[in-house]
Amino acid sequence: MKTCAVCHQPLKPLHSFRFQEGSLCPECYRKASLFYKQTITDLSFDEVVANIVKAGQTPDGFEISEKIGPFLAVDRKHHQFAILKGGKFQEEFSTVHAYPADEIVDCQVKGDPAAEMSALSVQVKMKDHSDLSIDLAKKPIRTSSFAFRQSYHLARRMKDCLDKEKIANR
Ligand SMILES: [Zn+2]
């Protein structure tokens, strides 16, 4: 019987996925394709393994309860959140880190809608004294612009969401 080239479990006929030098089981394929974002048919064994290592950096068992813009994902079931780096969720998710929600000390929107120009971020202080920054506008932008108003609204929503998590997990 054919087995998965990576984890060596037996392959069922309709549940095996070919790469250049062999076949993978559904679970290894899920990771090797970086969560179905990359075709694996032309990948070598080394490339397959490299992708699986990369995918393994995904926070374990993260379930998205809420996602705010391309910035923040919350997992209420496991009381954790992840800061995203823009773009599509699964791609970026392979390299993000999940933080425990009960370690949020304080959360503030940093930006001044009354000024003419302002940068915009959400600052999260954690129990271990690390400061997390969710940057919506790294450089100051015109506060009267649609982009700023929309981002400011998102920043407020993220603060409210994280505040709620903080209280819920006390
Ligand atoms: Zn496998």
Side-chain angles (χ1 to χ4, degrees), residues 31-34 38 43 46-56:
K31 292 176 186 162
S33 64
L34 297 175
Q38 195 182 339
L43 297 187
D46 288 346
E47 288 166 329
V48 159
V49 170
N51 275 2
I52 289 174
V53 169
K54 195 171 162 192

Side-chain angles (χ1 to χ4, degrees), residues 12-161:
K12 296 184 194 126
L14 294 172
H15 299 277
S16 80
F17 302 86
R18 285 205 64 79
F19 64 101
Q20 213 180 63
E21 298 150 44
S23 298
L24 298 178
C25 71
E27 183 52 30
C28 292
Y29 168 68
R30 194 172 76 90
K31 292 176 186 162
S33 64
L34 297 175
F35 310 105
Y36 316 111
K37 293 283 175 191
Q38 195 182 339
T39 50
I40 65 161
T41 42
D42 292 331
L43 297 187
S44 68
F45 182 73
D46 288 346
E47 288 166 329
V48 159
V49 170
N51 275 2
I52 289 174
V53 169
K54 195 171 162 192
Q57 292 159 2
T58 305
D60 215 13
F62 197 98
E63 288 178 37
I64 312 155
S65 315
E66 188 178 354
K67 190 181 161 211
I68 300 180
F71 301 106
L72 178 71
V74 178
D75 174 357
R76 296 217 165 82
K77 197 166 154 192
H78 305 104
H79 316 298
Q80 54 184 349
F81 65 97
I83 295 168
L84 312 173
K85 297 269 187 293
K88 289 201 181 79
F89 188 74
Q90 280 173 329
E91 279 171 23
E92 78 220 3
F93 204 52
S94 61
T95 55
V96 296
H97 179 71
Y99 300 95
D102 60 357
E103 291 189 6
I104 301 171
V105 173
D106 185 49
C107 181
Q108 296 297 333
V109 174
K110 205 173 152 195
D112 183 6
E116 195 182 333
M117 306 275 286
S118 177
L120 186 62
S121 66
V122 178
Q123 301 290 326
V124 188
K125 271 198 198 319
M126 302 294 285
K127 239 180 216 165
D128 66 357
H129 304 293
S130 58
D131 289 320
L132 309 174
S133 179
I134 308 171
D135 297 311
L136 291 93
K138 265 195 172 161
K139 290 182 186 150
I141 57 172
R142 201 163 282 282
T143 55
S144 59
S145 67
F146 178 70
F148 185 88
R149 280 180 290 142
Q150 197 184 33
S151 299
Y152 192 71
H153 178 70
L154 272 180
R156 299 288 320 176
R157 272 182 60 201
M158 285 193 267
K159 174 181 156 48
D160 289 347
C161 178

Side-chain angles (χ1 to χ4, degrees), residues 4 6-9 24-25 27-28:
C4 171
V6 173
C7 72
H8 308 293
Q9 70 163 301
L24 298 178
C25 71
E27 183 52 30
C28 292

